[in-house]
């Protein structure tokens, strides 16, 4: 399969590149080019719109209705050029699985769907400051316009690039909550999900492969797909898997008649048991679980052109407790208080501290929180570790891994983000941060999945599904005491024994097993880290955190530890352009 990338602007054409309607791409790439009058649309990826729909969309976009660029079903890139207006509009998908990047090369604006391509042409190296900040702050969501390459910017999911009269700007094309209730919005969400799943499955060939973890999301995808084609389902099993997940996966396979393969699992599939040969586009957690994927994915290899997964369902079907802060921000105090009281009852704690944390986060807003977080990082202190509810920017132990130089750098980045992004709705902010994280991770993992011989597709993150779900506000999608309530409303035809499940297992046992088994090797990764060599992070502090995690001391920040190890490994594997600058 030819790797698809697109590029335009003042970019230097890569060796062997082909130009179609003003867009550079590799030879053999599958593109759809639709012309209507002076307007031309170039589409790559998986777009469910026909040529007439693409033409109508392109005319609307050329006329300034930029939100239409992501309105068609699927997950795709679209470049629209209007020869009369001299305007070009380029966009990826809403979730960021089809990303878009920009840079300045001295002759003007360059755009491309491949960040490494721009970094190589411009002689740019990795953005070590951003990578250190991601580890310390737990997320790169506070800098949505930065890529992992210095001088290469990202157009965030939900935004489009407009080039006109020699000026480039980004415009917001996100679907926004429109006041609909979960009950009124559920039918559209359910119909969109079924269309997305069954289109992938129905066009995959005589049968399609799919993940079947035993959770609600992958189980729903397998049920939808099995209605139109035979399914080969693969499940991670064995002694380190969650037993309830495995049991439910078997039940779903029996219910659908899927050909079901459950892997042997065990210690040989633990995290860090062999690093992948392929290098992802950016540091991504899939690196750590390469042995797990190698254990359960082989029966799916070569079954169909695409491999169905349930990734992203957590994001669009439900919101985090940021929804409570959003309710308070929007004056829905009674609903927010009721949600907090129900949470307190379920975890057997007093509601007062929870409600005060929610009220304070809503009243103070994001700029205040980022300013305080910056101060905490600079001082090497914790901030925002609230009593079990979402906070704008929690600063915990990983910030203490930063050196003095690292603290000053990350503090300045947080402070600048608070001032430039400003105040936002907590629920929408977290929804889009989580959406972009999941979409970006799937894009960045593509080389790793190619090593296993599959091309994953994620119906939950297709444009029409994202739009249908996120038009229902965060406060509506989270209901006290109910797990992913939107799914049961959206698909009342799902069996009750599935839709009524209230939890999902995790792979934490595999992580601990891997940390214990590969302790010495992981300490060597810390010693060789480019983040410590650059003076941003203290190797001794990370060594201590790794030892504490292995020995079960305290509550180690496992996510940050994984992020540091994977980022350090990635930095050791990438090819940095000669003469590049940090």
């Amino acid at each position: 399969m030819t790797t698809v990338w697109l590029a335009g602007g003042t970019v230097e054409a890569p060796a062997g590149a082909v130009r179609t309607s003003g867009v550079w791409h590799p030879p053999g790439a599958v593109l759809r080019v639709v012309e209507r009058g002076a307007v031309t649309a170039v589409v790559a990826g998986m777009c469910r719109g026909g040529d007439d729909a693409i033409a109508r969309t392109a005319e609307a976009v050329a006329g300034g209705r930029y939100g239409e660029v992501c309105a068609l079903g699927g997950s795709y890139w679209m470049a629209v050029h209007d020869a009369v207006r001299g305007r070009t509009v380029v966009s990826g998908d809403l979730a960021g699985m089809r990303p878009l990047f920009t840079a300045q090369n001295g002759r003007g604006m360059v755009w491309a769907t491949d960040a490494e391509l721009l970094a190589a042409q411009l002689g740019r190296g990795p953005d070590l400051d951003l990578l250190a900040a991601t580890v310390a702050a737990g997320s790169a969501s506070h800098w949505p316009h930065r890529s992992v390459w210095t001088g290469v910017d990202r157009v965030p999911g939900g935004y489009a690039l407009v080039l006109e009269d020699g000026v480039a700007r980004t415009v917001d094309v996100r679907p926004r909550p429109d006041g609909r209730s979960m009950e009124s919005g559920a039918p559209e969400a359910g119909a969109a999900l079924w269309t997305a799943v069954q289109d992938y499955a129905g066009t995959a060939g005589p049968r399609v492969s799919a993940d079947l973890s035993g959770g609600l999301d992958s189980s729903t995808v397998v049920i939808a797909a099995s209605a139109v084609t035979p399914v080969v389902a693969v499940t991670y099993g064995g002694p380190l898997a969650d037993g309830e997940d495995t049991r439910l996966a078997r039940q779903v396979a029996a219910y659908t008649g899927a050909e079901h393969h459950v892997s042997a699992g065990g210690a040989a599939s633990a995290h860090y048991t062999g690093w992948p040969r392929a290098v992802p586009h950016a540091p991504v957690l899939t690196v750590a679980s390469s042995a797990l994927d190698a254990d359960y994915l082989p029966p799916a290899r070569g079954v169909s052109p695409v491999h169905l997964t349930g990734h992203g369902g957590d994001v669009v079907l439900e919101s985090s407790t940021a929804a409570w802060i959003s309710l308070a921000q929007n004056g829905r105090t009674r609903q927010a208080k009721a949600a907090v009281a129900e949470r307190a009852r379920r975890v057997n704690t007093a509601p007062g501290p929870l409600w005060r944390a929610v009220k304070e986060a809503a009243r103070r807003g994001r700029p205040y929180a980022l300013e305080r977080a910056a101060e905490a990082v600079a001082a090497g202190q914790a901030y925002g570790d609230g009593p079990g509810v979402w906070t704008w920017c929690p600063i915990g132990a990983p910030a203490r891994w930063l050196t003095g130089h690292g603290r000053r750098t990350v503090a300045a980045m947080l402070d600048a983000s608070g001032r430039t992004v400003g105040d936002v709705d907590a629920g929408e902010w977290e929804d889009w941060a989580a959406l972009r994280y999941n979409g970006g991770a799937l894009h960045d993992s593509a080389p790793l999945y190619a090593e296993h011989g599959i091309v994953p597709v994620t119906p939950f993150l297709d444009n029409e599904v994202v739009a249908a779900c996120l038009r229902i506000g965060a406060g509506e999608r989270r209901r006290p005491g109910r797990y992913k309530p939107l799914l049961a409303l959206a698909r009342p035809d799902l069996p009750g024994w599935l839709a009524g499940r209230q939890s999902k297992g995790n792979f934490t046992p595999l992580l601990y097993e891997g940390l214990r088994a590969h302790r010495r090797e992981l300490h060597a990764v810390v010693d060789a880290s480019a983040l410590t060599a650059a003076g941003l992070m203290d190797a001794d502090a990370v060594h201590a955190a790794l030892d504490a995690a292995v020995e079960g001391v305290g509550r180690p920040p496992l996510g940050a530890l994984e992020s540091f190890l994977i980022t350090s490994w990635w930095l050791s594997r990438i090819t940095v352009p000669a003469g590049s600058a940090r």
Side-chain angles (χ1 to χ4, degrees):
M1 179 180 293
T2 302
T3 300
V4 177
W5 54 259
L6 307 177
T10 59
V11 67
E12 296 179 13
V18 177
R19 190 174 176 88
T20 301
S21 298
V23 174
W24 290 102
H25 59 87
V30 178
L31 305 177
R32 294 171 67 183
V33 180
V34 179
E35 298 181 1
R36 182 167 289 181
V39 177
T40 303
V42 178
V43 180
M46 299 175 181
C47 177
R48 276 186 277 281
D51 285 357
D52 285 344
I54 291 174
R56 290 193 301 271
T57 296
E59 288 180 327
V61 171
R65 290 163 52 196
Y66 301 126
E68 296 297 310
V69 74
C70 294
L72 297 175
S75 173
Y76 55 86
W77 290 287
M78 179 179 287
V80 175
H81 179 66
D82 184 340
V84 173
R85 296 182 178 92
R87 176 187 295 160
T88 299
V89 181
V90 191
S91 178
D93 65 330
L94 294 172
M97 291 185 294
R98 313 281 183 183
L100 183 64
F101 303 92
T102 64
Q104 294 284 342
N105 67 357
R107 294 185 292 119
M109 172 64 71
V110 185
W111 65 263
T113 62
D114 185 334
E116 295 102 313
L117 184 152
L118 294 183
Q121 288 205 351
L122 301 175
R124 305 290 171 81
D127 188 342
L128 297 182
D129 293 348
L130 176 69
L131 294 171
T134 301
V135 173
S139 168
S141 63
H142 296 294
W143 307 280
H145 293 277
R146 285 176 80 154
S147 82
V148 296
W149 298 96
T150 302
V152 177
D153 295 325
R154 178 188 297 272
V155 178
Y159 283 76
L161 178 68
V162 179
L163 301 106
E164 187 174 17
D165 298 328
V167 177
R169 57 193 172 98
T170 57
V171 294
D172 191 341
V173 297
R174 292 175 294 168
R176 312 301 288 273
D178 58 9
R180 68 183 67 183
S181 67
M182 185 159 63
E183 287 76 10
S184 64
E188 181 184 344
L193 176 61
W194 244 236
T195 297
V197 174
Q198 293 185 345
D199 183 77
Y200 284 124
T203 57
R207 56 183 187 160
V208 68
S209 65
D211 275 1
L212 181 55
S213 70
L216 287 180
D217 306 334
S218 64
S219 298
T220 297
V221 168
V222 168
I223 289 172
S226 67
V228 296
T229 194
V231 176
V232 177
V234 290
T235 299
Y236 175 77
L240 296 177
D242 182 88
E244 180 62 14
D245 282 354
T246 304
R247 184 198 67 77
L248 193 65
R250 294 186 190 278
Q251 189 172 357
V252 171
Y255 177 78
T256 59
E259 178 186 322
H260 192 205
H261 300 266
V262 181
S263 73
S269 61
H271 284 35
Y272 304 110
T273 304
W275 299 91
R277 294 186 301 276
V279 181
H281 298 303
V284 65
L285 292 180
T286 320
V287 166
S289 59
S290 180
L292 180 153
D293 292 335
D295 180 69
Y296 88 96
L297 283 173
R301 190 181 187 105
V303 169
S304 53
V306 297
H307 177 77
L308 292 168
T309 80
H311 291 310
D314 289 340
V315 179
V316 297
L317 293 175
E318 195 169 28
S319 181
S320 74
T321 55
W324 303 344
I325 298 164
S326 176
L327 290 171
Q329 285 178 307
N330 290 287
R332 298 167 67 180
T333 305
R334 180 178 297 179
Q335 190 175 344
K337 276 188 172 180
V340 169
E342 173 62 20
R343 170 64 174 268
R345 185 191 66 79
R346 292 175 65 84
V347 299
N348 194 28
T349 190
L354 293 180
W355 174 243
R356 284 193 292 273
V358 168
K359 186 169 61 173
E360 181 76 358
R363 184 176 70 86
R364 295 286 193 176
R366 185 176 179 274
Y368 174 86
L370 268 290
E371 184 180 354
R372 299 287 82 78
E375 292 172 353
V377 168
Q381 299 173 349
Y383 168 77
D385 291 330
V389 297
W390 181 89
T391 55
W392 291 102
C393 184
I395 300 299
R400 299 190 185 99
W401 303 349
L402 295 166
T403 62
H405 166 59
R407 289 197 302 273
R408 290 188 294 273
T409 299
V410 175
M413 291 171 62
L414 288 169
D415 185 65
S417 177
R419 287 183 285 103
T420 56
V421 175
D423 222 345
V424 292
D425 180 281
E428 283 193 71
W429 173 267
E430 178 61 11
D431 280 346
W432 282 93
L435 181 69
R436 291 166 183 156
Y437 172 82
N438 278 267
L442 286 160
H443 167 265
D444 295 338
S445 297
L448 306 180
Y449 287 120
E451 188 174 293
H452 298 298
I454 66 165
V455 178
V457 292
T458 56
F460 279 105
L461 296 185
D462 273 13
N463 285 342
E464 72 270 41
V465 181
V466 170
C469 292
L470 296 194
R471 288 194 182 104
I472 306 168
E476 277 291 306
R477 298 198 327 280
R478 187 172 187 90
R479 297 286 175 88
R482 296 171 63 186
Y483 180 60
K484 298 183 182 177
L486 177 55
L487 183 59
L489 287 171
R491 297 306 311 186
D493 51 343
L494 288 173
W497 49 262
L498 174 64
R501 189 174 183 192
Q502 294 298 303
S503 63
K504 173 71 171 71
N506 59 63
F507 295 125
T508 303
L510 285 156
L511 173 57
Y512 274 116
E513 178 70 24
L515 291 174
R516 285 191 294 266
H518 303 288
R519 180 177 189 169
R520 181 177 299 178
E521 179 185 355
L522 296 176
H523 275 301
V525 172
V526 177
D527 285 331
S529 175
L531 296 178
T532 60
L536 289 163
M537 306 201 83
D538 179 10
D540 290 341
V542 183
H543 282 307
L546 175 57
D547 285 335
V550 171
E551 294 162 10
V553 177
R555 298 177 61 188
L558 294 176
L561 191 57
E562 276 199 283
S563 179
F564 179 92
L565 293 168
I566 291 165
T567 299
S568 300
W569 172 84
W570 181 79
L571 287 167
S572 73
R573 294 293 306 277
I574 59 172
T575 302
V576 179
S580 66
R582 253 189 48 212

